[in-house]
Amino acid sequence: MEFTKKDILDMESLSVDEIALILNTAKRMKEVSERPVKKVPTLRGKTVVLFFYEPSTRTRISFDIAAKRLSADSLSISGSSSSMVKGETLTDTVRNLEAMSPDVIVLRHSSAGAPHMLARLVKPSIINAGDGMHAHPTQSLLDLMTVMENKGSINGLRIAIIGDISHSRVARSNIVGFTKMGAKVVLAGPLTMIPKGIEALGASVADNADDAVCGADVIMMLRIQKERQKSNLFPTEREYSKVYGLTKKRVKRAGSDVLIMHPGPVNRGVEIAPEVADGPYSIILDQVTNGVAIRMAILYLITSVSDSRRHAEC
Amino acid sequence: MLTLIRGGRVVDPGNLDGMMDILIEDGRIVEIKDRESEGRGQRAEDRGQRTEGRGSGVKVIDAFGKIVTPGLIDMHVHLREPGHEYKETIKTGCMAAASGGFTAVCSMPNTNPVNDNSQVTEYILKKAGAADMIRVYPVAAISKGLKGKDLCEYADLKEAGAIAVSDDGHPVADSRLMRRALEYAKGFNLPVISHCEDIDLAECGVMNEGAVATRMGLAGIPNAVESIAVMRDIALCELTGARLHIAHVSTTESVRAIRNAKKRGAPVTAETAPHYFTLTEDTVDKYNTNAKMNPPLRSRQDRDAIIEGLADGTIDVIATDHAPHSSIEKEIEFDLAANGITGLETSVSLSLKLVENGLITITSLIEKMSTNPARILGIDNSLKLGNPADITIIDPDISFTVDANSFRSLSRNTPFDGWSMKGKAVLVMVNGQVIFER
């Protein structure tokens, strides 16, 4: 199968075959990171711009390492260091970047749909590294890869996602991604954080965290942001932790070979107990490792599309 | 100077309906003759003789197969001047209105400076006079600076020409102030137009709350944001007995609340806009900023409830909430984009679709676009002898494709660009002068 997408915007626009291709490619890419010399010349001469309008450490570094391991030239700009602080619009900033002929622009932005808007306007491939509450496709892909490595297949698994579903792009992309690959996704969280109509994405909502965890093959905990307390989405961290936090006791309700995941950054002692985050079921750091492989795979696949397109235009 | 509008179906709800000729002299209607009660084919000759007798030419406007109505009134328009002339000026807004079939519009007060004092009202009227096209009825602010704190000088504003008061775009959050506004305005017979929105509940919402918003990762605005405010204002309307007009109704619950209030006899009227009976939240798909407005496009069920409200008379008025914005406000991230779409140049066609689909009658349509707004605003706009000849002629059969680039409005923010439509205004006359002809 040949990859034909110009952009990676969300999990909805990727087919099952495309997801499988990305996961398979990532498996090969992972091997590069395990070599003593962690670099291949595949993307020599390609330019990857990491445009992070919203702060990010893990995702930005992961993309940066992925680009460098493939020998692409990568550079980082942030919202505060770009011309946007001088009042330039996102479109103008990206058009200016475009004028310098990058091959890929990796965008993290606080507005849902910002990468979609740019994908329509500019020639370089756009990779969505998180847009508002909407989507975080590379996170979902690395989560799929990590579960696949441990379980062999996604099909038929029960995935519990617990926490602030409303504000989570990771939750949205994973509901779509895991459902697409045949898993059953069950959600739990304070009802203030379960958005209306989430079932339409294919997930079901459990009555409480215990029910969601019951029989789960995978438990994915979401970061609870302290600011949400101010908008009265939950009264205190203490109560949140008690009712929705993942404790050792709660883990026992799940399958005996359950996997514990978290997209990070972790609030130890709030959504997840330290002994669970560090415990035998945790694959939180495997997620980070696989993040590099997934991003290498995507950069590789997407630039090969640009090449064939360029050939077509000659 | 005589003008004869010949052969059209004249629809003036509650007054006239039939094939009639209208004769206009010096800007006023001087004769209305039923063609069916007299011999056909002789009318023009009669006029000709009469005109010859008077020694001047007669301008004959052929209206066969067309609908001749009292001038259409859009009681919810943002003309943007003063302050935002790059989006629209009073002149371009008037041109857009005329080409959309309107002889009069109400201009909303959220300009810069806000129309909260007589000088701004006078400025708007001066500019409208200079544009010399349609009638502009300024709506003044309820509160100074639209801040919801202190009442404006309604007597002074009315004397300057204000026709109603509204803090449109900024709901009056303080119930006590809203009560005082209704009471005080009643003393000057000024209707209060309410933008119903509980802004705390709306929080940072940018589209209708529900599965579409959730899928797109956009913050939602639940229906209750509107209906809570509608119900509060109805309670205050019943408390004060003052006239309340509810702007841009978009939800099932609001329609129900207004219907019940009317049954109880409350002096409440309501409007909706063509986009609320035409589109749903699905139009926001792909982060289409031309589908972003406040109140937001709602669910299919809400759209159907709006149509039902129009059909049973709960909703009295179709107004556009014409809200021109430039690419600076619209070709940006969805959550940062401004609310609103242009409406003047698509309203008649979208409304005629309701008639074509058998949802309302043409008479009911004219009521909602002319008779009812006139009644609410206290304007005599009907086709009566001696009245100024403000007339719209509609061709219900003409088919065309919307091209936003051909709009008279300075702005292009419409979700209807490229739509195939049927029926539009082909001639607009104000004071007997043809100001627009297709």
Side-chain angles (χ1 to χ4, degrees):
Chain A
M1 185 204 165
E2 203 193 340
F3 197 76
T4 55
K5 286 265 183 320
K6 172 188 165 261
D7 312 289
I8 304 284
L9 299 176
D10 48 46
M11 293 305 285
E12 281 174 301
S13 53
L14 290 174
S15 69
V16 171
D17 287 346
E18 284 168 336
I19 293 170
L21 176 63
I22 293 167
L23 297 179
N24 279 330
T25 310
K27 215 190 280 177
R28 290 190 280 129
M29 293 296 172
K30 189 171 182 179
E31 183 264 325
V32 173
S33 298
E34 287 159 356
R35 295 178 193 172
V37 178
K38 300 189 251 318
K39 202 172 182 90
V40 289
T42 320
L43 296 192
R44 203 165 54 193
K46 301 285 180 195
T47 310
V48 177
V49 176
L50 309 175
F51 187 7
F52 279 65
Y53 185 74
E54 225 184 36
S56 155
T57 307
R58 192 183 340 259
T59 306
R60 185 171 51 78
I61 288 175
S62 179
F63 268 108
D64 204 4
I65 289 176
K68 289 189 162 80
R69 287 199 178 149
L70 292 171
S71 302
D73 296 310
S74 67
L75 58 121
S76 252
I77 47 173
S78 66
S80 56
S81 69
S82 76
S83 299
M84 291 173 107
V85 291
K86 297 177 188 163
E88 191 173 53
T89 65
L90 174 65
T91 305
D92 282 338
T93 304
V94 172
R95 282 215 166 109
N96 276 275
L97 288 175
E98 183 186 19
M100 295 180 252
S101 313
D103 300 278
V104 179
I105 296 172
V106 177
L107 181 77
R108 157 77 55 99
H109 198 279
S110 54
S111 292
H116 302 66
M117 175 178 81
L118 296 178
R120 284 193 293 266
L121 294 172
V122 302
K123 223 175 185 179
S125 293
I126 303 286
I127 298 175
N128 182 3
D131 62 326
M133 306 184 295
H134 175 230
H136 195 350
T138 59
Q139 176 73 41
S140 176
L141 289 162
L142 71 87
D143 287 342
L144 285 168
M145 178 180 179
T146 311
V147 173
M148 194 92 109
E149 273 182 352
N150 284 275
K151 297 281 185 187
S153 160
I154 306 292
N155 195 32
L157 297 180
R158 180 182 162 99
I159 317 287
I161 305 180
I162 298 171
D164 183 358
I165 310 296
S166 284
H167 296 89
S168 176
R169 54 189 169 219
V170 175
R172 279 175 180 76
S173 280
N174 270 326
I175 293 168
V176 176
F178 278 91
T179 308
K180 214 168 231 184
M181 301 309 279
K184 184 174 161 14
V185 178
V186 185
L187 309 173
L191 291 179
T192 48
M193 296 177 167
I194 304 287
K196 290 265 177 309
I198 191 73
E199 297 85 355
L201 288 184
S204 60
V205 180
D207 288 341
N208 53 56
D210 284 343
D211 284 1
V213 163
C214 190
D217 300 294
V218 174
I219 304 170
M220 187 180 296
M221 300 306 293
L222 300 175
R223 173 182 171 76
I224 190 78
Q225 287 181 292
K226 294 177 186 184
E227 321 70 282
R228 305 296 175 208
Q229 197 177 328
K230 285 186 213 129
S231 10
N232 282 313
L233 294 179
F234 65 102
T236 58
E237 282 185 7
R238 176 183 165 274
E239 180 153 297
Y240 184 89
S241 163
K242 193 172 138 195
V243 185
Y244 300 100
L246 193 60
T247 56
K248 255 174 129 170
K249 193 175 158 212
R250 194 158 273 149
V251 174
K252 289 203 180 104
R253 306 179 71 92
S256 57
D257 52 355
V258 67
L259 303 173
I260 310 290
M261 305 177 82
H262 193 300
V266 172
N267 283 316
R268 286 174 175 263
V270 185
E271 70 264 6
I272 189 163
E275 62 272 23
V276 176
D278 303 331
Y281 305 115
S282 171
I283 52 168
I284 294 174
L285 293 175
D286 297 346
Q287 291 174 269
V288 180
T289 304
N290 287 337
V292 174
I294 282 290
R295 285 154 187 143
M296 287 170 77
I298 285 175
L299 288 171
Y300 167 71
L301 290 169
I302 217 162
T303 46
S304 60
V305 176
S306 321
D307 277 346
S308 57
R309 201 180 55 227
R310 237 167 256 140
H311 286 308
E313 280 166 8
C314 286
Chain B
M1 173 69 184
L2 282 169
T3 306
L4 176 70
I5 300 175
R6 190 178 63 166
R9 176 182 168 194
V10 175
V11 182
D12 183 4
N15 179 26
L16 306 170
D17 190 350
M19 311 303 286
M20 294 173 196
D21 293 346
I22 299 175
L23 188 68
I24 295 143
E25 185 170 23
D26 299 329
R28 292 187 179 271
I29 298 168
V30 293
E31 202 180 324
I32 301 171
K33 280 251 170 108
D34 198 329
R35 292 175 66 84
E36 279 153 14
S37 66
E38 296 182 35
R40 281 173 189 269
Q42 294 175 3
R43 309 294 307 151
E45 287 164 39
D46 293 349
R47 300 281 177 262
Q49 282 160 14
R50 185 176 156 180
T51 312
E52 271 168 38
R54 293 192 183 191
S56 65
V58 63
K59 181 184 161 77
V60 176
I61 296 166
D62 205 340
F64 287 95
K66 302 191 174 83
I67 295 162
V68 179
T69 80
L72 304 183
I73 300 170
D74 186 346
M75 63 181 290
H76 197 135
V77 171
H78 297 273
L79 289 177
R80 302 295 187 211
E81 190 179 358
H84 310 290
E85 290 85 354
Y86 68 100
K87 300 184 187 200
E88 196 83 284
T89 64
I90 289 171
K91 188 174 176 189
T92 59
C94 287
M95 285 161 65
S99 87
F102 297 97
T103 58
V105 300
C106 290
S107 63
M108 285 296 163
N110 60 340
T111 46
N112 185 19
V114 169
N115 182 12
D116 59 4
N117 65 76
S118 55
Q119 281 162 309
V120 179
T121 304
E122 282 160 8
Y123 174 86
I124 292 167
L125 287 170
K126 199 182 98 194
K127 285 280 181 171
D132 191 24
M133 235 174 303
I134 61 159
R135 298 177 199 276
V136 173
Y137 297 112
V139 174
I142 289 174
S143 66
K144 285 180 191 152
L146 305 171
K147 292 192 189 313
K149 289 211 157 54
D150 308 302
L151 289 186
C152 300
E153 297 175 326
Y154 295 170
D156 219 30
L157 285 160
K158 183 169 183 175
E159 202 183 311
I163 200 157
V165 291
S166 178
D167 271 3
D168 188 53
H170 302 262
V172 179
D174 179 345
S175 303
R176 187 176 52 185
L177 178 73
M178 191 61 176
R179 175 202 177 154
R180 296 308 178 209
L182 283 159
E183 282 175 339
Y184 192 66
K186 191 185 177 191
F188 308 101
N189 199 24
L190 283 169
V192 176
I193 302 172
S194 179
H195 167 116
C196 290
E197 180 185 5
D198 182 328
I199 43 170
D200 289 319
L201 186 58
E203 214 181 342
C204 51
V206 293
M207 73 170 289
N208 188 45
E209 181 171 291
V212 181
T214 293
R215 177 173 60 78
M216 297 181 74
L218 293 171
I221 303 171
N223 281 15
V225 161
E226 179 177 299
S227 55
I228 285 173
V230 167
M231 290 177 205
R232 180 203 71 170
D233 285 353
I234 287 171
L236 295 174
C237 163
E238 292 184 296
L239 170 68
T240 58
R243 289 197 294 140
L244 171 70
H245 179 76
I246 300 186
H248 42 56
V249 173
S250 74
T251 74
T252 310
E253 296 80 5
S254 301
V255 173
R256 199 183 299 143
I258 295 161
R259 184 179 291 133
N260 290 337
K262 284 185 162 188
K263 273 187 198 147
R264 295 194 299 270
V268 60
T269 53
E271 77 189 25
T272 193
H275 39 275
Y276 299 119
F277 61 71
T278 307
L279 302 175
T280 66
E281 58 192 338
D282 293 333
T283 312
V284 180
D285 191 39
K286 299 191 166 68
Y287 303 92
N288 177 5
T289 57
N290 283 334
K292 185 181 178 189
M293 63 252 330
N294 186 21
L297 295 173
R298 300 285 187 184
S299 68
R300 196 163 294 196
Q301 183 209 333
D302 291 307
R303 185 191 59 184
D304 293 347
I306 296 296
I307 293 173
E308 203 184 316
L310 283 164
D312 73 5
T314 301
I315 300 176
D316 309 85
V317 171
I318 295 171
T320 64
D321 196 1
H322 178 79
H325 288 295
S326 79
S327 61
I328 300 167
E329 289 90 18
K330 282 295 194 181
E331 288 173 19
I332 56 173
E333 297 90 315
F334 188 89
D335 53 359
L336 305 178
N339 285 309
I341 61 168
T342 61
L344 287 167
E345 292 169 86
T346 46
S347 180
V348 166
S349 308
L350 291 166
S351 303
L352 280 167
K353 188 82 185 161
L354 294 176
V355 178
E356 195 192 334
N357 291 343
L359 299 165
I360 62 170
T361 62
I362 185 74
T363 308
S364 169
L365 178 97
I366 306 305
E367 262 174 14
K368 292 178 200 303
M369 297 188 79
S370 178
T371 322
N372 291 343
R375 174 173 52 82
I376 291 162
L377 300 166
I379 304 163
D380 184 4
N381 191 50
S382 66
L383 301 177
K384 285 184 188 139
L385 298 187
N387 268 4
D390 286 13
I391 293 172
T392 301
I393 302 181
I394 295 167
D395 183 342
D397 299 319
I398 191 168
S399 291
F400 68 105
T401 303
V402 177
D403 174 14
N405 287 319
S406 71
F407 280 175
R408 271 73 170 176
S409 169
L410 274 187
S411 293
R412 305 278 173 263
N413 52 312
T414 173
F416 301 112
D417 193 27
W419 279 42
S420 295
M421 294 196 185
K422 199 176 153 201
K424 66 191 334 188
V426 289
L427 186 140
V428 178
M429 177 184 278
V430 174
N431 272 332
Q433 297 295 312
V434 174
I435 54 155
F436 173 78
E437 192 169 7
R438 200 173 303 275

